[in-house]
Amino acid sequence: MEFLYHLLLVLHLLGWAIVLGGVLVNLRSAKIPKGVLHGILTALLTGILMVGLASASDDLRDPDNAKVAVKLVIALVVTALVVYGVRKPRKVTTGYLGAIAGLTAVNVAVAVFWR
Ligand code: HEM
């Protein structure tokens, strides 16, 4: 169970890294590469699976529901921005990409500092 949880955590971190990296390298061209959509969906899914696994298992620490709720809301806003930006590329500006990167960074801070 613990191995699966850690595997999901690795995929979770890689997913967010793809989102952040993909958005930052395209700040100037103001485009959202398709990979960013895959990264965000991977991270969202693995995050939800980890919460389910931690709640169900006796070996793993129960998730902090308030922290998860905050992270989920921010992650859903980021996901909505990515999906909309991929569908309507003309609406994407450097500021739009900055919002995606900024909210992702906020969620990293929430993940690390909220203990
Ligand atoms: C923008 C969105 C997100 C970012 C940037 C993010 C980032 C991170 C980071 C950096 C960690 C490692 C923290 C550590 O272990 O010290 C982590 C862990 C984790 N994340 Fe996320 N995450 C996001 C969204 C979510 C969502 C939506 C969920 C669940 C609904 C979630 C659930 C978890 C869980 C269960 C862990 C395991 C470690 C812990 O207990 O905090 N994350 N996340």
Side-chain angles (χ1 to χ4, degrees):
M1 205 67 122
E2 211 174 307
F3 175 78
L4 180 60
Y5 185 85
H6 286 138
L7 190 66
L8 288 171
L9 183 57
V10 169
L11 293 175
H12 187 66
L13 297 179
L14 289 176
W16 291 121
I18 290 169
V19 174
L20 202 56
V23 158
L24 288 179
V25 295
N26 284 287
L27 266 186
R28 279 194 183 202
S29 60
K31 271 191 216 138
I32 301 182
K34 273 261 163 68
V36 167
L37 184 60
H38 300 155
I40 201 137
L41 294 177
T42 302
L44 201 58
L45 187 70
T46 50
I48 291 166
L49 287 175
M50 277 191 290
V51 172
L53 210 57
S55 308
S57 161
D58 290 336
D59 309 334
L60 299 166
R61 199 161 45 96
D62 276 347
D64 179 334
N65 287 331
K67 173 180 171 177
V68 167
V70 169
K71 284 184 72 182
L72 188 58
V73 168
I74 295 175
L76 287 175
V77 173
V78 174
T79 306
L81 285 171
V82 170
V83 170
Y84 184 74
V86 167
R87 290 214 177 137
K88 301 242 164 39
R90 279 164 174 242
K91 302 272 182 194
V92 177
T93 59
T94 298
Y96 192 101
L97 294 181
I100 294 174
L103 287 172
T104 304
V106 166
N107 245 6
V108 172
V110 171
V112 172
F113 286 112
W114 189 329
R115 295 268 158 204

